[in-house]
Every structure is written in structure tokens, then in C-alpha cells.
Amino acid sequence: MQVSENSVNNTASLKNLKGFDQSHPPDPKLIDSCVHCGFCLSTCPSYRVLGKEMDSPRGRIYLMDAINEGEIALNTATVEHFDSCLGCLACVSTCPSGVQYDKLISATRHQVERNYPRSLTDQFFRQLIFSLFPYPNLLRILLVPLLVYQKLGFAKFFRATGLLNKISPRLAAMESILPEITLKSFQDNLPTVIRAQGEKRYRVGVILGCVQRLFFSPVNEATVRVLTANGCEVVIPKSQGCCAALPEHQGQTEQAKALARQMIDSFANTDVDFVIINAAGCGHTLKEYGHILESDPEYREKAKDFAAKVKDAQEFLATVGFTAKLSPLTDKPLNLVYQDACHLLHGQKISVQPRQILRQIPGVKLREPIDAALCCGSAGVYNMLQPEVSEELGQQKVQNLLNTGAKLIASANPGCTLQITKHLQLQGKKISVIHPMELLDYSIRGEKLKL
């Protein structure tokens, strides 16, 4: 049988295509579990905005398979479709075949970061994000010039003129979600051990987070007060750092592993019954430590044991119940809408519990928005790396929340809170976005909200 010269050249060119390496590529067995039914399309936020098959879970699985088989390359044309994924995991909840898209996109992102040479601009922004956000002590230093920037009115100037957006949409996106910096952002006042009020029921560790501890320190303080008021002795190791969510979700393999090891070590010998986290994205990653460190012989079992103790604060309280009395937050019934964070709803399958505990506050009336399961567009650092798609999703989310007629929005993730607050301001709406743990804290202390 004769083989044409063109056929030989085509075969050779396919073999030379840059693809995935041999270190944990997307599992062909998981890829083959997709029956291409298309149920995921309507729930995928990137597909709903961009309208392209390759920007859907099904389309990306096609690409993963083709790269695995050496039929197409891992290049700009394919990577842009992987980058457009928010990682919200709505497709995992929707898929009738149980396709583990979360594992597929995670493996792919780590492959992309190892094997695809990004542009200098892209490298700069990613390096900026991963050099700052996972390191709260370093980020706290940066707060000084940012505080001056806000106090001198530069923030209002750039937002009013849109000048920064003309220079760089990504920089403008980063600046647009910057919350107000106060003196509390520089404080780190929580002690290492806080005694339980009344009879001690549990000894729990609390993770402070990175963005959470700097920009939302009142949430951490409220969480500690709620836990101690309900019979928990709280332990806060000073050596804890980042949970590794940001680098893990964006394929920064070694950085994610190093941060996970540090977190595990910080809670070693603390003898806690549970490890409590109040940020949805962090909680999902903490529960994945067994997967992140599965190839580490020293930490493999430690990671599994640690992950087994991790509980979202709302999940924990819904299970153990309240011993403290809950009081009304307002003199009249309060219409409240709860915003489902994707990594709680789809990643951790936590949806009923937050609603259960909020309904226990006297006078609270919960409203449900349409498209509650659709991502707000924050998705970790997605709103900084893919601002155009993020903007549209943020507008949709806020409009759906406003349409409920609720007077208050409860949000259990800092990224969601920043995104929703930004788009409320853009629409000229003065509605507060408050963490459920803060609402519980107000209720336990008998303090009324000023709406």
C-alpha cells in the first residue's frame, strides 16, 4: 500500500502539535462519560453570554478530547475557550450523566499554565494577582497607597471619566471592585483562642481568608462571635495563610500545593473538631485538599483528614443548631434575598442550610430570585481577567436580585459581595449586601439593622 507524501506530512505535523503533557491530563474516561446531550448549555454562564459551542462545557470537552488525541493543538485558539470558563460548576449540578466537569477543567487549567506561553500582558496581570492576593501580609502593605488613592479622590475621578478603562480594561476591572479601605483593614485583632460562652460544645478552628480578613474583617469577627455564642471554643492559628483557592482555580499547581501544605501545618496539633470557613470559594478548595495533594506521599493522608473536618459556617450551624436566642433584625418583617455563591451551591452542594438558618431569625421573609443558580460573574479572579463577560453577568444577577423586591441581600462569598455591590452602585441602588454570619451576629446581640 502506498502512502502519499501529503499523508506522511500531515501525520508528522499532528505528532508535532503542542498538547497536554503526561502529568494528569484530562481523564479520557471522564471525557467519555459526556454523551453530548446539551443539558449544560442553558446553565453555562459563558455560553449564555458568548453563544459559542466551544464556550460551553460540552464544547470544551470536545477540545480536551481532541487535544488528548493529538488532533488539535493547545494554542491561543483553544486556550481562549478554556479561559472563558468561570469554573462555576453549574454544569456539574445539571448534567444528567454525572460528568465530572470540575475535574476535567481543573486538570486542563493546570496543563494550560504549564504548556501554553501566555502573552506578556497576560503574564503581567496573572503574576500581579498571584503575587498579591494569596499573601495577606503583603497585600496589607499595598493598602497604604490604595487608602491614599481613595482619600485623595482618584477612585471617583477614574470611575467618573472611564479613563482607566481606556488604558486597560483589566486594570479598570480590578479598580472597580476595590472596596472602601478603612483603618480596620490594617488590624488583626482576633486572639489565637476565644473561649466559648456557656457550656463548651465544640472546639473549632476558623480560617480568616485573604481578601476576607483585609476587606471584610467584620465578617470574621461576626463569625467568631456567633460560634462562641453557640458553645464553640474558637482557635485561630496565626501561621495560617491562603487556602489556595485562587491559584488552584487558575492552574498554579505548585503555588496551590505549597499554600495547602502551609494551611494543614497551621492547624496541626490544634485538636479541633471542625475547621470553619465563611467564604464559599475557600471552602470548596479546602474540601479538595485530598485531591490537590494526592500525589504528595507526606501530605496525602494529612490532606484527607484535614478536608474531612472542613465545614462552611452555615453548614455547621444548620447541623449543630443554635443555643443562643435569635432576635428580630428590624421592627417590621424583613424581605431578604439570599445570593447562592456558586462554590457553595454547585461545588459543596450547600443550598438549603443557609436558608434554614436565615429563616430562624424572627421576622425574616426569604425571597427567591430567578436564575438563582447562574453565576454573578465574579468567579474568583474571572472578573479581573475576563471583564467583558463578567460585566454582563453582574448586571443580570443584580437585576434578578432587585426584581425580588427584597430590602437586603445576603451573600456568603467576598467575591460575590464585591461584584454585586459594584453593579448595585452602577444602577444607583442603595441596598446593603451582608454576610449571613453578620445577620446572625446582629440577631444574637439584639442589634437592629439600619436600612
Side-chain angles (χ1 to χ4, degrees), residues 45 83-88 109 129 173 177 211 216 246 249-250 281 339-343 374-387 389-395 397 411 413-423:
D83 284 348
S84 73
C85 175
L86 291 94
C88 70
R109 286 203 157 133
I129 289 169
I177 60 170
V211 172
F216 297 97
L246 291 181
H249 292 165
Q250 290 295 324
Q339 147 67 13
D340 282 288
C342 293
H343 282 95
L374 186 68
C375 184
C376 69
S378 173
V381 295
Y382 188 92
N383 52 358
M384 292 181 267
L385 295 174
Q386 305 281 335
V389 176
S390 175
E391 286 291 298
E392 186 163 339
L393 290 170
Q395 292 170 16
K397 173 60 71 173
S411 169
N413 192 57
C416 300
T417 298
L418 291 173
Q419 177 83 338
I420 292 167
T421 300
K422 167 188 171 178
H423 285 281

Side-chain angles (χ1 to χ4, degrees), residues 208-279:
L208 301 177
C210 302
V211 172
Q212 190 86 306
R213 82 172 73 178
L214 296 181
F215 299 119
F216 297 97
S217 57
V219 175
N220 286 335
E221 294 165 5
T223 300
V224 169
R225 285 194 294 266
V226 170
L227 291 170
T228 55
N230 286 283
C232 294
E233 181 181 52
V234 173
V235 179
I236 306 175
K238 294 298 182 182
S239 58
Q240 66 174 283
C242 173
C243 70
L246 291 181
E248 170 62 19
H249 292 165
Q250 290 295 324
Q252 306 293 318
T253 310
E254 295 309 316
Q255 184 183 23
K257 288 181 178 180
L259 291 170
R261 294 187 194 103
Q262 180 187 351
M263 183 65 75
I264 292 169
D265 288 342
S266 71
F267 280 90
N269 304 317
T270 57
D271 195 31
V272 295
D273 302 310
F274 300 98
V275 176
I276 307 299
I277 180 67
N278 56 24

Side-chain angles (χ1 to χ4, degrees), residues 322-343:
F322 294 99
T323 55
K325 180 184 176 182
L326 299 177
S327 303
L329 295 169
T330 53
D331 293 328
K332 298 178 180 179
L334 174 62
N335 290 324
L336 171 71
V337 59
Y338 173 75
Q339 147 67 13
D340 282 288
C342 293
H343 282 95

Side-chain angles (χ1 to χ4, degrees), residues 125-183:
F125 279 104
R126 289 173 183 272
Q127 190 62 40
L128 179 65
I129 289 169
F130 299 122
S131 296
L132 284 176
F133 286 93
Y135 304 102
N137 290 333
L138 183 60
L139 191 57
R140 186 175 276 118
I141 297 173
L142 183 64
L143 294 184
V144 176
L146 289 176
L147 177 63
V148 175
Y149 167 85
Q150 288 185 341
K151 294 300 181 184
L152 293 181
F154 286 106
K156 292 181 180 178
F157 170 77
F158 281 119
R159 293 180 187 185
T161 62
L163 182 61
L164 196 57
N165 193 56
K166 295 175 183 177
I167 299 171
S168 169
R170 282 183 169 179
L171 274 178
M174 293 174 73
E175 196 278 337
S176 69
I177 60 170
L178 182 67
E180 182 183 0
I181 297 169
T182 65
L183 293 179

Side-chain angles (χ1 to χ4, degrees), residues 72-128:
I72 60 175
L74 185 65
N75 55 23
T76 302
T78 51
V79 167
E80 68 179 10
H81 298 302
F82 297 134
D83 284 348
S84 73
C85 175
L86 291 94
C88 70
L89 311 183
C91 55
V92 178
S93 297
T94 306
C95 181
S97 301
V99 177
Q100 298 179 56
Y101 177 81
D102 51 340
K103 293 184 178 178
L104 289 171
I105 193 62
S106 176
T108 300
R109 286 203 157 133
H110 287 273
Q111 290 282 343
V112 167
E113 296 311 308
R114 286 197 300 269
N115 298 303
Y116 173 69
R118 293 190 179 276
S119 68
L120 291 177
T121 303
D122 211 5
Q123 288 181 45
F124 169 76
F125 279 104
R126 289 173 183 272
Q127 190 62 40
L128 179 65

